[in-house]
Amino acid sequence: MAEIICVIGNKGGTGKTTLSHMLAQGLGLLGHRSACVLTDTTREPLSPDGRRYITADARTRDALTKVVDKLRTLPDWIGVIDGSGNRTEMDRKLYAMSDLVLMPFRESHEDIRTVLRDLDMFQRGYAVPTQWPTNAWQREAADRAVAQLMGVHRERILHPVAALSASKLLLQKKMPEQLPTPVANACRALARQVLQVMEIGEPDEVIDACDEDDHVGGRLSAADMPMRSSFARG
């Protein structure tokens, strides 16, 4: 039976769609069969050509139910539902059908305040710092803000996903068959930590020869923000 991951949150502009496609691509690069499911009625479906995952159109409630029901019948698949659209009612529905919930947020205090409310609302959810600054000074300031404002939830915060301009290639109608190495590495790093949270191993036959930088963007400063000591499912 497939595992279902939902990417949700009440704040717009946090990169939910980008994160969903990065995760699905990373899972595919690691040898897992995955699908990225579109639910936002303001977006158009993307071609699966060149991707390491399939795409599914679930922009109506009936379509979403059918897609999830179909995925549940597929052993060893992982469905990634892009819950963009900032709809609390839909977020609750997706949360109820999910095995894992991811809630991306950027470094602004507004984003942090919103994701704190979402963490309280969705107890099985994990926060994901996204589009995280790569400039050393900005990164330090962002990490410090998270440490100060989100310390109580530190075990529910995943490694940051760095801001990579080339990640927009994943959102093209037809994606290029070859992604830039930093983007591919970031997709793999994101997928690996999600698999660890879900206690799912990588297929034995996968040889990840292109994995030059497994933790693109790194993690929050250990001194300021201790990360989770284990990845056991909450």
Side-chain angles (χ1 to χ4, degrees):
M1 182 173 72
E3 300 281 342
I4 301 296
I5 301 168
C6 294
V7 182
I8 62 176
N10 283 300
K11 177 70 171 60
T14 58
K16 287 187 282 290
T17 297
T18 300
L19 189 77
S20 298
H21 285 272
M22 288 183 70
L23 176 55
Q25 178 75 5
L27 290 168
L29 289 169
L30 296 179
H32 287 276
R33 290 173 291 184
S34 64
C36 190
V37 182
L38 172 67
T39 65
D40 188 349
T41 57
T42 66
R43 293 181 179 271
E44 293 295 323
L46 302 178
S47 168
D49 294 345
R51 303 177 193 273
R52 295 296 187 95
Y53 56 98
I54 67 170
T55 57
D57 186 356
R59 289 176 292 172
T60 67
R61 289 183 179 272
D62 287 345
L64 177 61
T65 299
K66 289 178 181 178
V67 168
V68 172
D69 287 348
K70 177 62 177 179
L71 282 170
R72 289 297 193 188
T73 68
L74 303 176
D76 302 324
W77 276 71
I78 300 176
V80 181
I81 301 181
D82 172 15
S84 64
N86 317 318
R87 301 156 292 174
T88 301
E89 181 184 353
M90 175 60 78
D91 284 356
R92 292 183 185 276
K93 179 180 177 66
L94 295 176
Y95 177 76
M97 66 173 57
S98 69
D99 299 293
L100 178 70
V101 166
L102 302 178
M103 298 174 289
F105 69 98
R106 300 184 69 172
E107 78 274 15
S108 75
H109 280 221
E110 182 183 4
D111 276 40
I112 292 174
R113 288 194 300 270
T114 302
V115 80
L116 281 170
R117 290 194 296 270
D118 287 341
L119 284 167
D120 289 336
M121 184 182 305
F122 304 114
Q123 293 294 316
R124 288 184 288 106
Y126 287 81
V128 187
T130 56
Q131 302 180 46
W132 219 240
T134 55
N135 172 275
W137 182 85
Q138 292 176 327
R139 174 61 186 268
E140 181 181 357
D143 290 354
R144 186 166 56 249
V146 171
Q148 292 172 349
L149 300 175
M150 299 183 66
V152 68
H153 292 298
R154 61 182 177 272
E155 293 189 354
R156 297 171 63 195
I157 304 174
L158 300 189
H159 305 311
V161 178
L164 296 169
S165 61
S167 64
K168 63 181 178 290
L169 294 172
L170 286 158
L171 304 186
Q172 291 184 173
K173 183 76 174 180
K174 184 175 181 181
M175 195 181 82
E177 293 197 11
Q178 188 70 34
L179 286 174
T181 296
V183 176
N185 286 342
C187 291
R188 275 189 289 266
L190 172 62
R192 278 207 175 100
Q193 64 173 328
V194 169
L195 290 171
Q196 287 179 304
V197 168
M198 302 184 78
E199 299 179 341
I200 298 174
E202 295 178 29
D204 293 337
E205 67 273 15
V206 173
I207 301 175
D208 216 358
C210 297
D211 203 359
E212 296 176 357
D213 185 1
D214 192 34
H215 289 282
V216 173
R219 65 172 70 188
L220 297 176
S221 168
D224 291 336
M225 187 65 191
M227 302 302 295
R228 301 187 328 281
S229 59
S230 70
F231 287 95
R233 185 182 306 190

